[in-house]
Amino acid sequence: MMTTLNQGPKSQRMTKNQWSALESTKFEKIHSDVFSDSTQAAKAVAHEIAALIQYKSGRNQKCILGLATGSSPIKVYEELVRMHKEEGLSFKNVVAFNLDEYYGLGKEDVQSYVYFMHHHLFSHVDIDPENINIPDGTIAPNKVANYCAYYEDKIDSMGGLDFQLLGIGRTGHIGFNEPGSKERSLTRMVTLDYLTRLDNAFAFDNMNEVPKKAITMGVGTILKANRIVIMAWGLKKAEIVHKTVEGHVSADIPAAFLQRHSDVTFVMDVLAASELTRFKTPWLVGDTSWTSETSRKAVVWLSEKLQKPILKLTERDYNDHGMSELLAERSGYDVNIAMFNYFQHTLTGWPGGKPNADDSQRPERANPAKKRVIIFSPHPDDDVISMGGTFLRLIEQGHEVHVAYQTSGNIAVSDHEALLYAEFAEQFSEYLSKNDGKNKALFSKAIKLLKGKKQYKVIPEEIRKIKALIRRGEAISACRYYGLPDSHVHYLDLPFYETGRVEKAPLSGDDVTLIRNLIEEIKPHQIFAAGDLADPHGTHKVCFDAIIMALEQLKDESFLKDCWLWLYRGAWHEYPTHEIEMAVPLSPDQLIRKREAIFRHQSQKDGVMFQGEDSREFWQRAEDRNKDTAARYNALGLAEYEAIEAFKRYHF
Ligand code: F6R
């Protein structure tokens, strides 16, 4: 049998570590390999595939691969392409069968999976085009059934799949086998779940254009493969990973059928693994290393589970819930007091530090009393959505606040919104009739494009410019509402974002330089940045990486020694309570001002393009999230606030 990820040879006797590993994974019914980040994980998967291709090639055999699309395998394909180019990995003996294709899309459609596979893999390696098999989404309805039987037979006639690569949808689908799919289902036409269509809507102009049907290999087709590797990255997948790995087998979660396969590995990053018992509540499955963070996590968990404020937890509560070791050196009473004080000290109405106050128990330094602050906002509305209340307090408390919009955010403006502005500008310039005809031509071209049925692979520059200007206008309007001078608003327009497509370019030195220059110019005492790693399209993570790289380049500058970096989370998730290091309460009136600032982002209201499955608008989500944090603090026994914005310090 081929090598599998991270599985070493089986020794005869179990070591203590192996016993405790076994204990900690006792609820896991699928072997799971957890990596610290998705890049390392994807490389490990690519290396397993490469080893299999070479093993087969060495025996003059074909290597039959089942391949997936979606965001999860992109880095796997990147690594395979690199190995082909730099290490001579050949795909000559590979026969590929893709899992699925949208029904109704053909190879010319940029959203089709044929396009995806050529773009990410096939066009860059030496696979024989004859050996590429992807379900044909253009087959006539009356021929679909025969076509699916032919696809299934073709896999069987090659001797079956040696290896199947999978992602997992949040519905628990593998391939496009949505909940309800049978264990023995074969290749067939299926109807996509609403959640799946929403998750994939980012590639289309609007939800109506996302196909409703697809052709997919069945669960049975997948289970016939010799070896299966399924991948999941990011917090967004944590819940479904937990249900798949630790839950019961049922058609409600088609991925859980993988529990019945004898050679499957679930490869995930720590974020996707975070709901597994061994990470979420390690004290319930054996030895726990009681760091201060784990202790906080456990106490919050206990308090929430028993619905008791921290100060009312008893020693028996601790002992009954696998936490007796926490009491080894201290009484329950002492643990309660220490924990309560910890959370109490995270609360502050002075996010820039309280002047002339003892700051030994406060999250921020008192000095200097007037700080220079940069708020980095990945998209033009993340500043107000994620930390609008804190932003306002910093200004009102007299700090020199700058806000830097890292990307133009143009991708998220719909065509109809852009058309409104373009037609306005055209008509207004006609009215003024003073223009030299040049501007008019530009707008006329853009209007023609915006009105037409667009199938462009890259959004044309004219349109991007209009959309970017719309977002700039909205962002500065929100800043003015808060009283920030225009000169403190910086638009970085990082180049990595400007591809005109949802898929972005890799981060480059130019991106980092733009950020570094701004930090060097302002010499901030505080930087606020988005640490929201659950952003579905990864832009926040890239923007964060760019900041870290810029800080790395500046690490010898003396001003950086006085600079603290605070992270906020974006619209999608909040920090778990035990991770919060600064909690800034908002009064009801402050919350309304924050809402008004979010309202300035008109193009992002009313069913925006990248809303995800949450139908609430951004201002509603922000309010609900901030109110929820306040309620969680209150339930721990702390004071009752209307809302709280949360931050975590990042030590660089
Ligand atoms: C893709 C496929 C799907 C995806 C799943 C996860 O060929 O069959 O099952 O693997 O929807 O998609 P991502 O990876 O984009 O989260």
Side-chain angles (χ1 to χ4, degrees), residues 373-384 387 391 395 400-406 475-476 478-480 482 484-492 518 522 528 568:
V373 180
I374 303 180
I375 298 174
F376 280 105
S377 180
H379 299 99
D381 53 358
D382 291 310
D383 53 346
V384 286
M387 54 171 290
F391 185 177
I395 298 174
E400 181 188 318
V401 180
H402 293 259
V403 53
Y405 297 106
Q406 291 178 274
I476 203 161
C479 290
R480 286 176 186 154
Y482 272 180
L484 196 73
D486 288 3
S487 60
H488 288 200
V489 180
H490 309 265
Y491 306 101
L492 300 181
L518 183 73
I522 312 277
F528 287 86
Y568 60 84

Coordinates of all heavy atoms in Angstrom, one line a residue, residues 373-384 387 391 395 400-406 475-476 478-480 482 484-492 518 522 528 568:
V373 N -2.2 56.5 15.6 CA -2.9 55.2 15.4 C -3.1 55.0 13.9 O -3.5 55.9 13.2 CB -4.2 55.2 16.1 CG1 -5.0 53.9 15.9 CG2 -4.1 55.6 17.6
I374 N -2.8 53.8 13.4 CA -3.2 53.5 12.1 C -4.2 52.3 12.2 O -4.0 51.3 12.8 CB -2.1 53.0 11.2 CG1 -1.0 54.0 11.1 CG2 -2.6 52.7 9.8 CD1 0.2 53.5 10.2
I375 N -5.4 52.5 11.6 CA -6.4 51.4 11.4 C -6.3 50.9 10.0 O -6.5 51.6 9.1 CB -7.8 52.0 11.7 CG1 -7.9 52.5 13.1 CG2 -8.8 50.8 11.4 CD1 -9.3 53.2 13.4
F376 N -5.8 49.7 9.9 CA -5.8 49.1 8.5 C -7.1 48.4 8.3 O -7.6 47.6 9.1 CB -4.7 48.0 8.4 CG -3.3 48.6 8.2 CD1 -2.4 48.7 9.2 CD2 -3.0 49.1 7.0 CE1 -1.1 49.3 9.0 CE2 -1.7 49.7 6.7 CZ -0.8 49.8 7.8
S377 N -7.7 48.7 7.2 CA -9.0 48.1 6.8 C -8.9 47.4 5.5 O -8.6 48.0 4.5 CB -10.0 49.3 6.7 OG -11.3 48.8 6.4
P378 N -9.0 46.0 5.5 CA -8.7 45.3 4.2 C -9.7 45.8 3.1 O -9.2 46.2 2.0 CB -9.0 43.9 4.6 CG -8.9 43.8 6.1 CD -9.2 45.1 6.6
H379 N -10.9 45.8 3.4 CA -11.9 46.4 2.4 C -12.3 47.8 3.0 O -12.1 48.0 4.2 CB -13.1 45.5 2.3 CG -12.8 44.1 1.8 ND1 -12.7 43.0 2.6 CD2 -12.6 43.6 0.5 CE1 -12.4 41.9 1.9 NE2 -12.4 42.3 0.7
P380 N -13.0 48.6 2.1 CA -13.3 49.9 2.6 C -14.3 50.1 3.7 O -14.6 51.2 4.2 CB -13.7 50.7 1.3 CG -13.1 49.8 0.2 CD -13.2 48.4 0.7
D381 N -14.9 49.0 4.1 CA -15.9 49.1 5.2 C -15.6 48.3 6.5 O -16.3 48.3 7.4 CB -17.3 48.7 4.7 CG -17.3 47.3 4.1 OD1 -16.3 46.7 4.0 OD2 -18.4 46.9 3.7
D382 N -14.4 47.6 6.4 CA -14.1 46.7 7.6 C -13.8 47.6 8.9 O -14.1 47.1 10.0 CB -12.9 45.8 7.3 CG -13.2 44.8 6.3 OD1 -14.3 44.1 6.5 OD2 -12.5 44.7 5.3
D383 N -13.3 48.8 8.7 CA -13.0 49.6 9.8 C -14.3 49.9 10.6 O -14.3 49.7 11.8 CB -12.3 50.9 9.4 CG -13.1 51.7 8.3 OD1 -14.0 51.1 7.7 OD2 -12.8 52.9 8.1
V384 N -15.3 50.4 10.0 CA -16.5 50.7 10.7 C -17.3 49.5 11.2 O -17.9 49.4 12.2 CB -17.4 51.8 10.0 CG1 -16.8 53.1 10.0 CG2 -17.7 51.3 8.6
M387 N -14.8 47.8 14.0 CA -14.4 48.5 15.2 C -14.8 49.9 15.1 O -14.1 50.8 15.6 CB -12.9 48.4 15.3 CG -12.0 48.8 14.1 SD -10.2 48.9 14.5 CE -10.2 50.4 15.6
F391 N -13.0 53.1 16.9 CA -12.6 54.1 16.0 C -13.0 55.5 16.5 O -12.2 56.4 16.6 CB -13.2 53.7 14.6 CG -12.7 54.5 13.4 CD1 -13.2 54.1 12.1 CD2 -11.9 55.6 13.5 CE1 -12.9 54.9 11.0 CE2 -11.5 56.3 12.4 CZ -12.0 56.0 11.1
I395 N -10.8 58.8 18.1 CA -10.9 60.1 17.6 C -11.3 61.1 18.7 O -10.7 62.1 19.0 CB -11.8 60.3 16.4 CG1 -11.4 59.4 15.2 CG2 -12.0 61.7 16.0 CD1 -12.3 59.4 14.1
E400 N -4.3 60.8 17.3 CA -4.1 61.1 15.8 C -4.4 59.8 15.0 O -3.5 59.0 14.9 CB -2.7 61.6 15.6 CG -2.5 62.0 14.1 CD -1.0 62.3 13.8 OE1 -0.3 63.0 14.6 OE2 -0.5 61.8 12.7
V401 N -5.6 59.7 14.6 CA -6.0 58.5 13.9 C -5.9 58.6 12.4 O -6.3 59.6 11.8 CB -7.5 58.1 14.3 CG1 -7.9 56.8 13.7 CG2 -7.7 58.1 15.8
H402 N -5.3 57.6 11.8 CA -5.2 57.4 10.4 C -5.9 56.1 10.0 O -5.8 55.1 10.7 CB -3.8 57.3 9.9 CG -3.0 58.6 10.1 ND1 -2.8 59.5 9.1 CD2 -2.5 59.1 11.2 CE1 -2.1 60.5 9.6 NE2 -1.9 60.3 10.9
V403 N -6.6 56.2 8.9 CA -7.2 54.9 8.4 C -6.6 54.6 7.0 O -6.5 55.5 6.2 CB -8.7 54.9 8.5 CG1 -9.3 56.0 7.8 CG2 -9.3 53.6 8.0
A404 N -6.2 53.3 6.8 CA -5.7 52.9 5.6 C -6.5 51.8 5.0 O -6.6 50.8 5.5 CB -4.2 52.5 5.8
Y405 N -7.1 52.1 3.8 CA -7.9 51.1 3.1 C -7.0 50.3 2.2 O -6.3 50.9 1.3 CB -9.0 51.8 2.3 CG -10.0 52.5 3.3 CD1 -10.0 53.9 3.4 CD2 -10.8 51.8 4.1 CE1 -10.8 54.5 4.3 CE2 -11.6 52.4 5.0 CZ -11.6 53.8 5.1 OH -12.4 54.4 6.0
Q406 N -6.8 49.0 2.5 CA -5.8 48.3 1.9 C -6.1 47.9 0.4 O -5.3 47.9 -0.4 CB -5.5 47.0 2.7 CG -4.8 47.4 4.0 CD -4.6 46.1 4.9 OE1 -5.5 45.7 5.6 NE2 -3.4 45.6 4.8
A475 N -16.2 55.3 1.7 CA -15.3 55.2 2.9 C -15.0 56.6 3.5 O -15.1 56.8 4.7 CB -14.0 54.5 2.5
I476 N -14.8 57.5 2.6 CA -14.4 58.9 3.1 C -15.6 59.5 3.7 O -15.5 60.3 4.7 CB -13.7 59.7 2.0 CG1 -12.9 60.8 2.7 CG2 -14.7 60.4 1.1 CD1 -11.9 61.5 1.9
A478 N -17.9 58.0 5.5 CA -18.0 57.4 6.8 C -16.9 58.1 7.7 O -17.2 58.4 8.9 CB -17.8 55.9 6.8
C479 N -15.7 58.3 7.2 CA -14.7 58.9 8.0 C -15.1 60.4 8.4 O -14.8 60.8 9.5 CB -13.4 58.9 7.3 SG -12.6 57.3 7.1
R480 N -15.6 61.1 7.4 CA -16.0 62.5 7.7 C -17.1 62.5 8.7 O -17.2 63.4 9.6 CB -16.5 63.2 6.4 CG -15.4 63.5 5.4 CD -16.0 64.1 4.1 NE -14.9 64.2 3.2 CZ -15.0 64.2 1.9 NH1 -16.2 64.1 1.3 NH2 -14.0 64.4 1.1
Y482 N -17.4 60.7 11.2 CA -16.7 60.5 12.5 C -15.8 61.7 12.8 O -15.2 61.7 13.9 CB -15.8 59.2 12.4 CG -16.5 58.0 12.8 CD1 -15.9 56.8 12.8 CD2 -17.9 57.9 13.2 CE1 -16.5 55.6 13.2 CE2 -18.5 56.8 13.5 CZ -17.8 55.6 13.6 OH -18.4 54.4 13.9
L484 N -13.0 62.6 11.0 CA -11.6 62.4 10.7 C -11.3 63.3 9.5 O -12.0 63.4 8.5 CB -11.5 61.0 10.2 CG -10.0 60.4 10.2 CD1 -9.5 60.2 11.7 CD2 -10.0 59.1 9.5
P485 N -10.1 64.1 9.6 CA -9.7 64.9 8.5 C -9.4 64.1 7.2 O -8.9 63.0 7.3 CB -8.4 65.6 8.9 CG -8.2 65.2 10.3 CD -9.2 64.1 10.7
D486 N -9.7 64.6 6.0 CA -9.5 63.9 4.8 C -8.0 63.4 4.6 O -7.7 62.4 4.1 CB -9.9 64.7 3.6 CG -11.4 64.9 3.4 OD1 -12.1 64.4 4.3 OD2 -11.8 65.6 2.4
S487 N -7.1 64.3 5.2 CA -5.7 63.9 5.0 C -5.3 62.7 5.8 O -4.2 62.2 5.6 CB -4.9 65.1 5.5 OG -5.1 65.4 6.8
H488 N -6.2 62.2 6.7 CA -5.8 61.1 7.5 C -6.4 59.8 6.9 O -6.4 58.7 7.5 CB -6.3 61.2 8.9 CG -5.5 62.2 9.7 ND1 -5.5 62.2 11.1 CD2 -4.7 63.2 9.3 CE1 -4.7 63.1 11.5 NE2 -4.2 63.8 10.5
V489 N -7.0 59.9 5.7 CA -7.6 58.8 5.0 C -6.6 58.4 3.9 O -6.2 59.2 3.0 CB -8.9 59.1 4.4 CG1 -9.5 57.9 3.7 CG2 -9.9 59.6 5.5
H490 N -6.2 57.1 3.9 CA -5.2 56.7 2.9 C -5.7 55.5 2.1 O -6.2 54.5 2.7 CB -3.9 56.2 3.6 CG -3.4 57.2 4.6 ND1 -2.4 58.2 4.3 CD2 -3.8 57.5 5.9 CE1 -2.2 58.9 5.4 NE2 -3.0 58.6 6.4
Y491 N -5.6 55.6 0.8 CA -6.1 54.5 0.0 C -4.9 53.8 -0.6 O -4.1 54.4 -1.4 CB -6.9 55.0 -1.2 CG -8.1 55.9 -0.8 CD1 -8.0 57.3 -0.9 CD2 -9.2 55.3 -0.3 CE1 -9.0 58.1 -0.5 CE2 -10.3 56.1 0.1 CZ -10.2 57.5 0.0 OH -11.2 58.3 0.3
L492 N -4.6 52.6 -0.2 CA -3.4 51.9 -0.6 C -3.6 51.1 -2.0 O -2.6 50.9 -2.7 CB -3.0 50.9 0.4 CG -2.6 51.5 1.8 CD1 -2.2 50.5 2.8 CD2 -1.6 52.6 1.7
L518 N 3.7 53.7 4.6 CA 2.7 54.4 5.4 C 3.1 54.3 6.9 O 3.1 55.2 7.6 CB 1.3 53.8 5.2 CG 0.2 54.5 6.0 CD1 0.0 55.9 5.3 CD2 -1.1 53.7 6.0
I522 N 3.9 57.5 9.4 CA 3.1 57.8 10.5 C 3.8 57.5 11.8 O 3.6 58.1 12.9 CB 1.7 57.1 10.5 CG1 1.1 57.2 9.2 CG2 0.8 57.5 11.7 CD1 0.3 58.4 8.9
F528 N -4.2 48.9 14.3 CA -5.3 48.0 14.4 C -5.4 47.3 13.0 O -5.3 48.0 12.0 CB -6.6 48.7 14.7 CG -6.7 49.2 16.1 CD1 -6.2 50.4 16.5 CD2 -7.4 48.4 17.1 CE1 -6.3 50.9 17.8 CE2 -7.5 48.8 18.4 CZ -6.9 50.1 18.8
Y568 N -8.5 42.9 15.2 CA -10.0 42.8 15.3 C -10.4 41.7 14.3 O -9.7 41.4 13.4 CB -10.7 44.1 15.0 CG -10.5 44.7 13.6 CD1 -11.2 44.2 12.5 CD2 -9.5 45.6 13.4 CE1 -10.9 44.8 11.2 CE2 -9.2 46.2 12.1 CZ -10.0 45.7 11.1 OH -9.7 46.2 9.8

